[in-house]
Amino acid sequence: MKLLGAILAALLVAAAAGATEIPSAERRSGYSFMTPDTKAMQDDGTANPGMLWVLDGEALWKRKVGSANKACADCHNDATTSMKGVAAHYPAFDKALGRPVDLEQRINLCRTNHQQASPLAYESRDLLALTAFVARQSQGQAIEPSSDPRLEPFIAKGRELFMQRQGQLNLGCANCHDDNWDKRLAGSAITQAHPTGYPLYRLEWQSLGSLQRRLRACMSGVRAQAYDYGAPELVELELYLMSRARGMPMEAPAVRP
Amino acid sequence: MAAALINIPKKAKRGDIIEIKTLMSHIMETGYRHMASGEIVPRDIITGFTCRYNGSEIFRADLFPAIAANPFISFFTTATESGKFEFEWIGDNGFSGTASASITVE
């Protein structure tokens, strides 16, 4: 009986180990998987193409829009102080909606509620630019998801989605990013899926893109039907990924291959 | 106007070889891609880049469809005198962008 108990305990430990997330000491940003050339591109503020969006975002921050004729700066003043660290704890809980919203959605909520302007389309240049500008103010800050207890069920849902096998290839995010991050998929490094640098410039996209775009691309990759932009499931995944990357420094706008 | 980023040293000694780095915001649509409807996405690229150092042209490049979006162009020159570098990009659909940067040569 004692022996059976020991075997059971050992099996339980093994099962738990299989589902265990990457220990914090082994967490690596996608940056550490890149070639020296791509790292240099990200590090040099005048060679990083993401900075072009940051420049545009800075101009948009000061532009009055909507029937309220207000600019972001009219309420939030200087973004270098008011937006410092903000992106590091998004997605955050929105009281009115009763669910978490990501940075893009927060910007659009500000536009509709306070500027009385139309929301910007997902992946539009202006929304990416404003998001990149806001996220840039958190560069170097540690990712610190909000400790709001109302977020917990959403983080749990995101975690479930991360573990869930899906698509014709029947793969969950965890099958690559938790279990095989030290290997390669064809020529490309499999990374640990820490969203430290979004919105980021992907050389493959030839453009800046949001975390939702990246998640949708992964879903198409496993031949699953991707959720629509703005879907609660995508925000829950974003939230789980940010909680998983807790403590890692923000890099936005990052460059990735 | 399209955003551009310029990186040149603020100061240099006379005769120094300096690197000039430029990054221009542009989609560089090749003209070889098709839309879902089968129509070709019209070409929209930067076709030319020039750099003038105190008025005289020191660098010129022609750009083609195979060049990536947001072209990054870097080149070297000799710092001869204090003054201004002026950059100009021209392209399809009347695209035109300019930027400038100053240098002090001691």
Side-chain angles (χ1 to χ4, degrees):
Chain A
M1 196 62 215
K2 218 176 189 180
L3 183 68
L4 188 65
I7 292 170
L8 263 178
L11 278 175
L12 276 174
V13 167
T20 305
E21 287 139 34
I22 302 159
S24 56
E26 280 175 45
R27 278 190 212 155
R28 283 171 59 186
S29 157
Y31 178 88
S32 71
F33 295 83
M34 304 200 302
T35 61
D37 284 351
T38 323
K39 284 181 184 172
M41 190 191 260
Q42 172 173 322
D43 294 340
D44 179 352
T46 51
N48 181 341
M51 292 305 290
L52 296 168
W53 276 259
V54 172
L55 276 182
D56 284 350
E58 191 176 5
L60 287 171
W61 182 263
K62 294 172 197 148
R63 188 177 304 161
K64 291 184 189 296
V65 290
S67 41
N69 199 32
K70 267 194 210 164
C72 308
D74 289 338
C75 293
H76 297 291
N77 304 315
D78 182 6
T80 55
T81 49
S82 67
M83 292 296 125
K84 196 178 164 125
V86 168
H89 63 251
Y90 261 78
F93 192 81
D94 184 82
K95 241 192 250 168
L97 294 174
R99 59 179 169 84
V101 294
D102 63 16
L103 203 52
E104 284 87 350
Q105 291 172 326
R106 167 60 63 215
I107 288 168
N108 269 336
L109 282 171
C110 250
R111 280 180 69 86
T112 48
N113 296 342
H114 303 298
Q115 296 177 304
Q116 274 134 46
S118 52
L120 297 165
Y122 280 97
E123 303 308 295
S124 61
R125 181 147 187 123
D126 283 3
L127 185 56
L128 286 171
L130 272 171
T131 314
F133 176 63
V134 172
R136 172 72 177 79
Q137 312 309 324
S138 300
Q139 203 175 70
Q141 303 244 325
I143 291 175
E144 188 53 58
S146 151
S147 54
D148 191 328
R150 291 170 297 183
L151 283 174
E152 275 161 24
F154 297 98
I155 297 177
K157 272 195 208 164
R159 184 174 187 279
E160 220 169 273
L161 272 169
F162 189 82
M163 302 295 168
Q164 172 74 50
R165 285 179 183 268
Q166 55 178 316
Q168 289 176 328
L169 301 188
N170 197 31
L171 286 169
C173 313
N175 295 125
C176 285
H177 299 292
D178 272 352
D179 301 343
N180 288 298
W181 59 263
D182 50 351
K183 302 186 182 71
R184 300 180 85 83
L185 185 61
S188 308
I190 299 172
T191 60
Q192 297 181 349
H194 296 301
T196 49
Y198 285 89
L200 56 73
Y201 192 89
R202 261 196 99 193
L203 302 179
E204 185 192 313
W205 291 338
Q206 300 266 297
S207 169
L208 206 74
S210 69
L211 179 52
Q212 292 206 358
R213 179 172 179 186
R214 173 68 263 192
L215 293 174
R216 282 166 49 88
C218 255
M219 286 171 187
S220 311
V222 299
R223 314 285 183 269
Q225 175 72 50
Y227 297 104
D228 289 335
Y229 279 110
E233 288 87 351
L234 287 179
V235 181
E236 285 156 14
L237 260 176
E238 287 182 82
L239 184 62
Y240 170 64
L241 290 177
M242 286 297 267
S243 73
R244 192 168 161 272
R246 183 185 298 273
M248 297 178 76
M250 290 280 292
E251 296 167 42
V255 175
R256 293 291 182 267
Chain B
M1 209 190 84
L5 287 165
I6 307 291
N7 185 0
I8 67 162
K10 282 198 179 73
K11 274 185 187 173
K13 286 202 183 81
R14 195 174 309 274
D16 273 0
I17 293 172
I18 54 165
E19 186 177 13
I20 297 173
K21 297 193 256 187
T22 69
L23 183 66
M24 184 51 164
S25 173
H26 200 285
I27 57 167
M28 296 297 280
E29 181 60 54
T30 62
Y32 297 124
R33 297 198 306 161
H34 295 261
M35 297 184 229
S37 59
E39 286 167 83
I40 282 179
V41 183
R43 193 185 89 162
D44 183 9
I45 64 167
I46 294 175
T47 51
F49 167 78
T50 50
C51 171
R52 284 187 192 80
Y53 185 8
N54 284 340
S56 57
E57 186 175 302
I58 57 159
F59 185 88
R60 167 188 287 273
D62 292 334
L63 284 83
F64 297 94
I67 293 171
N70 309 309
F72 176 74
I73 299 174
S74 126
F75 52 95
F76 295 86
T77 192
T78 309
T80 51
E81 54 189 330
S82 296
K84 204 168 160 191
F85 288 97
E86 289 166 290
F87 306 92
E88 187 181 15
W89 295 260
I90 53 162
D92 293 336
N93 307 317
F95 177 84
S96 164
T98 55
S100 64
S102 303
I103 188 168
T104 310
V105 176
E106 290 157 343

